[in-house]
Amino acid sequence: MNSFSDSYKAAGVDVTAGYQSVELIKKHIARTKIDGVMSGIGGFGGLFRPNLTGMNEPILVSGTDGVGTKLKVAFLMDKHDTVGIDCVAMCVNDVVCSGASPLFFLDYIACGKNFPERIEKIVSGIAEGCVQSGCALVGGETAEMPGFYPEDEYDLAGFSVGMVDKEKMLEPEKMQAGDVLIGIQSSGVHSNGFSLVRKVFELSEKNINLHIDELGMTLGEALLTPTKIYVKSALAAIESANVKAISHITGGGFYENIPRMLKQGLCAKVEKTAVPTLPIFNIMQVKGGISEHDMFNTFNMGVGMCMAVDKNDAQKAMDAINAAGETAFVLGELVEGEGIELC
């Protein structure tokens, strides 16, 4: 390619680095190709032809998010091959809450300087997240923005589009008192609350590689553990049982996210002893002097996803989730009332 600009490079933008990045990420994007993908990278838009066979009224469901200040941990550790999984997870886990299967994903990487090898690592994680969720990476954008971002930093965001037949969409209106709340275990902090995490641990190059016995790994490794992608396990539960609603436990923890799936007149009664609180949360609560309420109002506490299921189907749903490779457990039940009650 003969496209280059010495003047633009002098201003801090190296277009040739962008071309090199594209070449390096092609093999990762190829891993995500599924039926329906109609274009390769390089065009002005990603093309996808959905399979509408057997669908009476297809509904598109979209979700968008970023990784947030968890990226600061990646910068400290100079490890960039997992945050892409987080980016995909934050989007597709939202999409599946409607009962939809993610179809495709697009990313946006903004950086102070384009280091092609680092962009490749980021995209390798994005591709892995797409493979885990069964969707295709059909496009993206890498923007080199000198003077806006420091040279060694970047931001990462994306969005996903999924589809579900209207008759198979989850219907919270069918929820009733007595329905069982099922939790699916998280892998750690996931990608929320990292401004508080960083404050509690006062993260720096001095302590990021400190081994913590309770975690069985370094602090940085624990914090960079990728967000769980629940698409396959959630869809398996929906296929096997009468799942009425799903909540992705992200920023705002239990208090903000679980009520989002409830219909008026119902309260989620959660048994705190049923929550498989992970060691990282116990450490943060003690070290930061954080109240129990604030912990449950900020973090997932070990529960990455919660679903309301007909009480007669609770075991079927848990069996399907466990068979899909995740860990499910009874978290509580729905009762008459409003909001959420932790008891």
Side-chain angles (χ1 to χ4, degrees):
M1 183 177 290
N2 293 323
S3 174
F4 64 91
S5 170
D6 290 334
S7 298
Y8 208 7
K9 186 174 182 178
V13 178
D14 185 356
V15 295
T16 58
Y19 305 143
Q20 185 180 352
S21 296
V22 170
E23 289 302 312
L24 290 174
I25 67 178
K26 282 182 177 179
K27 62 179 179 291
H28 300 294
I29 295 173
R31 293 182 59 214
T32 75
K33 188 173 183 180
I34 60 175
D35 290 342
V37 175
M38 297 180 63
S39 62
I41 58 173
F44 289 100
L47 306 180
F48 192 92
R49 180 171 57 196
N51 183 359
L52 304 181
T53 303
M55 286 204 170
N56 296 316
E57 193 173 352
I59 303 294
L60 296 179
V61 181
S62 58
T64 184
D65 210 336
V67 181
T69 60
K70 183 173 184 175
L71 292 175
K72 288 285 190 179
V73 184
F75 302 158
L76 279 173
M77 296 191 68
D78 192 24
K79 180 174 172 57
H80 311 281
D81 59 350
T82 60
V83 289
I85 300 175
D86 292 293
C87 190
V88 175
M90 298 306 293
C91 298
V92 298
N93 284 345
D94 281 356
V95 167
V96 80
C97 286
S98 297
S101 299
L103 299 175
F104 56 84
F105 184 86
L106 287 91
D107 64 77
Y108 177 76
I109 305 170
C111 56
K113 183 175 177 60
N114 187 328
F115 297 102
E117 292 79 10
R118 188 172 65 183
I119 297 298
E120 180 190 4
K121 290 179 180 179
I122 297 169
V123 175
S124 72
I126 295 171
E128 175 59 26
C130 288
V131 169
Q132 289 184 24
S133 58
C135 71
L137 179 57
V138 298
E141 171 71 10
T142 301
E144 190 172 16
M145 302 167 65
F148 195 89
Y149 292 97
E151 275 199 1
D152 289 330
E153 295 191 2
Y154 57 86
D155 198 6
L156 174 60
F159 81 92
S160 180
V161 174
M163 186 171 64
V164 60
D165 199 349
K166 186 177 180 181
E167 64 186 32
K168 293 185 178 181
M169 287 183 66
L170 299 188
E171 298 185 66
E173 287 304 314
K174 293 184 178 180
M175 300 168 78
Q176 60 185 6
D179 286 343
V180 175
L181 293 173
I182 292 174
I184 310 180
Q185 192 168 54
S186 74
S187 57
V189 185
H190 283 186
S191 299
N192 303 104
F194 269 84
S195 293
L196 179 54
V197 171
R198 291 184 299 114
K199 180 182 179 181
V200 167
F201 289 113
E202 298 179 328
L203 292 179
S204 67
E205 293 181 354
K206 294 182 180 180
N207 66 4
I208 197 69
N209 291 311
L210 179 67
H211 188 275
I212 299 179
D213 291 340
E214 299 98 305
L215 302 177
M217 62 185 75
T218 68
L219 178 59
E221 288 170 340
L223 296 179
L224 267 192
T225 301
T227 305
K228 283 273 190 181
I229 291 179
Y230 298 110
V231 171
K232 293 179 180 179
S233 57
L235 292 176
I238 292 170
E239 185 68 25
S240 302
N242 184 7
V243 177
K244 299 180 180 180
I246 298 178
S247 175
H248 181 202
I249 311 301
T250 56
F254 283 48
Y255 284 104
E256 288 189 21
N257 290 291
I258 293 179
R260 292 169 64 183
M261 75 175 182
L262 302 177
K263 76 172 186 179
Q264 190 171 0
L266 289 178
C267 171
K269 186 176 181 181
V270 175
E271 301 288 343
K272 286 186 289 188
T273 55
V275 177
T277 305
L278 300 174
I280 186 68
F281 298 114
N282 293 325
I283 293 171
M284 279 196 292
Q285 184 173 4
V286 172
K287 184 173 178 60
I290 305 170
S291 70
E292 181 182 76
H293 177 276
D294 285 358
M295 290 296 295
F296 278 93
N297 207 162
T298 308
F299 302 110
N300 67 63
M301 300 301 288
V303 182
M305 186 162 274
C306 175
M307 56 179 64
V309 183
D310 186 287
K311 63 181 179 181
N312 295 317
D313 279 4
Q315 191 59 53
K316 290 180 183 178
M318 289 191 292
D319 288 345
I321 292 166
N322 293 333
E326 301 299 339
T327 302
F329 42 86
V330 173
L331 196 59
E333 65 176 341
L334 296 183
V335 297
E336 293 182 357
E338 295 290 340
I340 180 172
E341 176 188 352
L342 270 68
C343 56

